Amino acid sequence: MTEEVLVSVIIPVYNVEQYLDRCIQSVVDQSYHNLEIILVDDGSKDSSGKKVDEWSEVDNRIVPIHRVNGGLSAARNTGIAAARGEYILFVDSDDWIHTDMIYSMVCNLSKAEIVSCGMIRATDTECIPIEWFDKEMVISAEEAIDLLVDNTIFTSHVIRNMYPRGVFDTIKFPEGRIFEDIRVTHKLFQMVKKICIIPDAYYYYYVRDNSISNVVKLKNKLEWYDALKERADDLINSNPEYQEKIKAQMAVVISLAMVQDTFTETEKKEFKNDIDDVHKFLKDACTKKSVKKYASKSQYLYYMIARIFSFSANKVYRIIRG
């Protein structure tokens, strides 16, 4: 295979000095060589910025960029603006990728505009493949969005996909927000006709205790809820079933947060207006119908407890559990 296609690999970097070398090395060592490796230092306070410059001296495919801290979305947008490649791949700086990931994806670009691979959940002690498809498939964008809304096997991670550069001409990552993948992935799929799914688990998704997705703050749970609501709003004119499925997901996310209730009274006061809106959503009859239809029995139980008792749900749940 000739390596005529230039792929831009965008790696946002922020305070990851102990993981960065592993990540960059995995990209530098790819069996596919026609790469532009864009390292976007998002105002790191540790030695990450220095490492970015050091790596740029080691490999001339590396493009170092330093910017004022603006968050993951801002760093990705900066990388996209600088990218020259026909295709774009995102790698988070604490993760790493299999040696043949990019080669395999490029080999499948003749079948679809976007190529998607499986992922492996990695910790310091083990690597476990995340549930994924067991055979290669080429599906329509509509089918991909169906799977995305189901949120079972096909999740919203942008890091598992290789995209044509052009889809980002009109779509940007929302700056100042988190759960940006939920807000964006369906929009990217809507920009193409076909997605090729390859069964190989090539992306190593490293789970850190202090990552944004694992930090249990009320703000983060509300952001997750809001990201799903944004997706529902974007898909309002699509399949009516989408609204019900996403409503169920929204209710489950916020209900579990209420049942667990690890939040301070200060947090609850700060987000009082948001919590009031959530209460109205949980009590809505359409929400109840959606949760009953699409959530599991245990999730429906959590929802009903949260629906009735709000942030007293934790006490009620403990009484039920004995």
Side-chain angles (χ1 to χ4, degrees):
M1 183 194 70
T2 59
E3 296 193 350
E4 296 177 353
V5 176
L6 176 64
V7 177
S8 294
V9 183
I10 297 173
I11 307 176
V13 176
Y14 181 71
N15 291 354
V16 284
E17 58 185 5
Q18 68 185 106
Y19 310 110
L20 188 57
D21 289 337
R22 178 181 65 189
C23 174
I24 298 173
Q25 190 72 60
S26 75
V27 179
V28 167
D29 289 345
Q30 287 294 296
S31 56
Y32 187 87
H33 299 104
N34 193 13
L35 305 176
E36 175 188 53
I37 307 168
I38 302 175
L39 305 180
V40 184
D41 170 32
D42 190 38
S44 296
K45 297 177 182 178
D46 62 4
S47 66
S48 297
K50 181 181 178 183
K51 284 179 175 290
V52 164
D53 290 332
E54 290 173 348
W55 270 102
S56 69
E57 294 176 3
V58 172
D59 193 314
N60 60 13
R61 296 174 299 173
I62 293 177
V63 179
I65 298 176
H66 299 275
R67 54 160 292 141
V68 175
N69 179 252
L72 178 60
S73 288
R76 283 177 176 171
N77 289 339
T78 295
I80 291 167
R84 297 180 298 108
E86 296 175 59
Y87 287 87
I88 286 178
L89 180 74
F90 299 99
V91 180
D92 287 347
S93 51
D94 48 357
D95 300 336
W96 68 98
I97 59 178
H98 187 278
T99 307
D100 293 326
M101 177 173 172
I102 297 177
Y103 176 87
S104 181
M105 287 184 147
V106 171
C107 285
N108 284 281
L109 287 174
S110 61
K111 303 171 186 175
E113 298 100 314
I114 292 175
V115 178
S116 185
C117 73
M119 298 170 62
I120 293 172
R121 185 181 186 275
T123 66
D124 291 328
T125 57
E126 61 183 359
C127 292
I128 303 173
I130 299 171
E131 185 179 7
W132 188 237
F133 304 92
D134 59 4
K135 63 180 180 180
E136 182 182 307
M137 296 187 294
V138 177
I139 60 176
S140 68
E142 290 78 12
E143 290 172 308
I145 293 172
D146 284 345
L147 293 168
L148 200 61
V149 171
D150 283 342
N151 192 40
T152 51
I153 296 179
F154 209 134
T155 56
S156 297
H157 297 90
V158 299
I159 48 180
R160 67 161 79 244
N161 307 319
M162 181 177 286
Y163 302 93
R165 171 67 180 79
V167 300
F168 295 102
D169 290 345
T170 56
I171 296 174
K172 305 299 178 189
F173 288 96
E175 300 186 13
R177 310 304 299 268
I178 59 176
F179 296 101
E180 53 284 305
D181 290 7
I182 294 175
R183 302 177 193 273
V184 165
T185 308
H186 61 280
K187 297 178 183 178
L188 295 171
F189 286 175
Q190 288 175 321
M191 296 291 290
V192 302
K193 293 181 179 179
K194 293 181 180 180
I195 290 89
C196 178
I197 293 170
I198 56 178
D200 308 272
Y202 283 136
Y203 191 99
Y204 289 79
Y205 180 73
Y206 182 62
V207 180
R208 288 192 286 159
D209 291 338
N210 63 343
S211 68
I212 289 175
S213 59
N214 287 329
V215 175
V216 183
K217 291 183 178 180
L218 182 54
K219 180 180 185 296
N220 289 0
K221 295 297 183 180
L222 290 170
E223 281 270 7
W224 189 357
Y225 170 90
D226 184 69
L228 287 167
K229 183 177 184 299
E230 185 175 320
R231 170 173 286 178
D233 291 343
D234 288 340
L235 298 174
I236 191 71
N237 296 318
S238 301
N239 187 336
E241 195 175 26
Y242 291 170
Q243 300 301 308
E244 289 190 87
K245 288 183 177 180
I246 298 173
K247 273 187 179 181
Q249 292 165 20
M250 292 166 61
V252 168
V253 163
I254 210 67
S255 296
L256 287 175
M258 288 179 171
V259 169
Q260 293 166 349
D261 191 14
T262 58
F263 315 117
T264 65
E265 292 303 315
T266 301
E267 286 180 282
K268 294 172 188 176
K269 288 179 181 178
E270 181 182 355
F271 297 102
K272 182 181 182 305
N273 291 338
D274 298 285
I275 292 170
D276 288 344
D277 289 340
V278 167
H279 286 162
K280 292 176 185 177
F281 170 76
L282 292 179
K283 290 180 180 295
D284 187 271
C286 292
T287 302
K288 182 179 178 181
K289 179 182 176 182
S290 296
V291 178
K292 191 170 185 178
K293 185 175 181 180
Y294 290 107
S296 67
K297 290 182 179 179
S298 60
Q299 289 171 339
Y300 183 70
L301 174 62
Y302 297 146
Y303 161 73
M304 287 302 296
I305 296 173
R307 185 177 191 259
I308 298 170
F309 297 102
S310 184
F311 278 102
S312 298
N314 179 263
K315 296 177 183 177
V316 176
Y317 179 68
R318 280 185 285 152
I319 291 172
I320 293 174
R321 288 291 299 269

